[in-house]
Amino acid sequence: MCEYDYSANLLCWYDNNARTLPWRIAPNSVSALPPDPYRIWLSEIMLQQTTVVTVKDYFNRFIERWPTVHELAAANDSDVMAQWAGLGYYARARNLLKCARIIAHDHGGQFPNSHAALLKLPGIGPYTAAAISAIAFDQPQTVVDGNVERVMARVFAIQETLDIAKPEIYSKAAILTPPIRPGDHAQAVMDLGATICTPKSPKCENCPWALHCKSKQLGIAHDLPRKRAKPAKPTRIGYIYVARRTDGAWLLERRPQKGLLGGMLGWPGSDWSAKPKDTPPISANWTLANSEIKHTFTHFHLRLTLCTSTVEMDVTAQIGTFVPTTDFNRTDLPTVMRKAYDAARPIFRLD
């Protein structure tokens, strides 16, 4: 079976089975509007290391509040970080703003339509540049995400572990990328991996490539792609301080722009290490909670000792600022900080 047949069969399947996504124009759509590079870019940045199910609501909220790249570029950093809270990998949000401002100020609000030019923008790597080029500008770029890796490894029975197999996987995906409808082809392979060629229970009976899938013929589809065992994540510990003033104001701080949770609003705390320093942000009677705050980041597990205190109006904060309860919104906090707030609520009798 030639490469063209692979793409033709896949596109036929995609035309009838494409997922409905808020950033996508349906195949064979009668809409006169072409794909919006802004929406494609925003969705691809959000989808890095994050699932489609999680991203949908975030994407819709961003588009409702900042429908164009010009409006996003003019947004306050703190507002964007607050909207991003809970989505994780916060460097993406900082680069999102940097990129939006470059597009608005240096490119007249128009995204570059070349792969090379896209790569020069903050937060856009080879995959994202290829995805924007293919989906937004219909250029025959090879788009390889985790779903595509799995599909290619199975179709061609690539049995090396992913860390070794990536160049071959990319090569196979490039061979199958057609000059016609490359954007739909890219989305079709991703949909195939997300809905049919799934990690644990591939639905081979519904796959348009089943008859020509080498791993299916060998009976090893469930075993691919093979992954090298990951080393165990280390555990770091620390202290987190949740203080509430008698008027209801909360003691919060804006984390430094660089580093984990950079630029996010949160509770003051110690360093996160094997031996953190217990350094409260204010002089107060602190009470240690009975339970720990547990959270997992990409490279480590975190266990935090929760310390709470109710303080008088005249207390002076060495770190952070007291935020009135009317200006406090739990959803503005990153996930680990929300966990601390939820654990503190019954202590402050807020439930």
Side-chain angles (χ1 to χ4, degrees):
M1 188 177 189
C2 69
E3 290 81 7
Y4 174 77
D5 289 329
Y6 272 91
S7 184
N9 285 352
L10 180 65
L11 288 170
C12 181
W13 172 85
Y14 179 69
D15 287 343
N16 294 292
N17 297 280
R19 289 179 292 176
T20 300
L21 301 174
W23 50 84
R24 177 182 286 180
I25 293 179
N28 298 321
S29 173
V30 296
S31 171
L33 296 175
D36 182 353
Y38 172 63
R39 295 170 72 94
I40 303 302
W41 163 74
L42 180 60
S43 68
E44 289 296 338
I45 298 300
M46 288 185 167
L47 286 165
Q48 293 171 8
Q49 306 292 325
T50 311
T51 65
V52 167
V53 172
T54 300
V55 164
K56 283 182 180 180
D57 288 341
Y58 280 90
F59 177 86
N60 286 330
R61 288 196 293 269
F62 262 74
I63 287 296
E64 181 178 357
R65 186 162 183 179
W66 302 294
T68 68
V69 72
H70 283 291
E71 287 164 295
L72 180 59
N76 290 327
D77 290 40
S78 58
D79 291 339
V80 173
M81 298 303 290
Q83 286 294 312
W84 193 276
L87 197 53
Y89 301 94
Y90 295 99
R92 293 181 298 167
R94 296 193 295 273
N95 283 328
L96 191 80
L97 271 171
K98 291 178 185 177
C99 185
R101 287 163 181 164
I102 290 172
I103 294 296
H105 300 150
D106 299 346
H107 296 272
Q110 301 298 313
F111 279 80
N113 61 6
S114 80
H115 185 267
L118 287 166
L119 281 173
K120 296 178 181 179
L121 296 171
I124 296 183
Y127 163 78
T128 305
I132 296 171
S133 298
I135 299 169
F137 300 113
D138 208 35
Q139 297 176 0
Q141 291 289 335
T142 302
V143 183
V144 180
D145 70 350
N147 282 315
V148 178
E149 287 180 339
R150 183 169 58 258
V151 171
M152 294 299 142
R154 288 174 174 172
V155 169
F156 295 101
I158 300 172
Q159 298 185 46
E160 292 85 358
T161 55
L162 269 178
D163 57 315
I164 298 172
K166 284 181 181 290
E168 183 179 1
I169 286 173
Y170 183 89
S171 175
K172 297 296 186 185
I175 291 171
L176 298 188
T177 300
I180 299 173
R181 296 180 65 187
D184 281 347
H185 172 88
Q187 294 174 103
V189 184
M190 289 189 277
D191 277 15
L192 188 66
T195 64
I196 302 296
C197 197
T198 52
K200 294 184 179 179
S201 301
K203 305 175 184 65
C204 297
E205 65 277 8
N206 297 326
C207 179
W209 287 348
L211 291 177
H212 304 274
C213 178
K214 293 183 179 179
S215 70
K216 183 176 183 298
Q217 295 168 4
L218 295 171
I220 59 173
H222 289 76
D223 299 328
L224 300 180
R226 295 200 167 104
K227 298 180 181 179
R228 189 176 297 278
K230 295 181 179 179
K233 291 182 180 180
T235 296
R236 300 179 188 175
I237 60 176
Y239 296 88
I240 192 164
Y241 306 96
V242 180
R244 195 173 194 229
R245 209 165 55 187
T246 52
D247 65 345
W250 297 97
L251 180 62
L252 293 160
E253 69 168 347
R254 181 75 60 183
R255 294 177 67 88
Q257 287 297 323
K258 293 185 178 181
L260 202 58
L261 305 182
M264 298 300 296
L265 196 65
W267 312 108
S270 69
D271 60 310
W272 298 343
S273 62
K275 295 182 179 180
K277 295 181 180 179
D278 183 4
T279 52
I282 56 176
S283 179
N285 293 321
W286 293 97
T287 301
L288 270 62
N290 293 326
S291 58
E292 289 182 320
I293 309 302
K294 297 180 180 179
H295 190 70
T296 296
F297 292 98
T298 306
H299 302 299
F300 65 94
H301 301 293
L302 179 65
R303 290 169 27 215
L304 296 174
T305 297
L306 174 63
C307 307
T308 62
S309 182
T310 299
V311 299
E312 299 298 326
M313 292 293 295
D314 60 353
V315 71
T316 299
Q318 288 80 44
I319 299 174
T321 304
F322 281 98
V323 176
T325 186
T326 53
D327 295 334
F328 172 75
N329 190 339
R330 173 187 178 276
T331 60
D332 290 351
L333 303 174
T335 303
V336 65
M337 299 298 174
R338 293 184 195 179
K339 289 180 179 180
Y341 173 72
D342 292 341
R345 281 181 61 87
I347 298 173
F348 290 105
R349 302 182 184 276
L350 298 178
D351 289 341

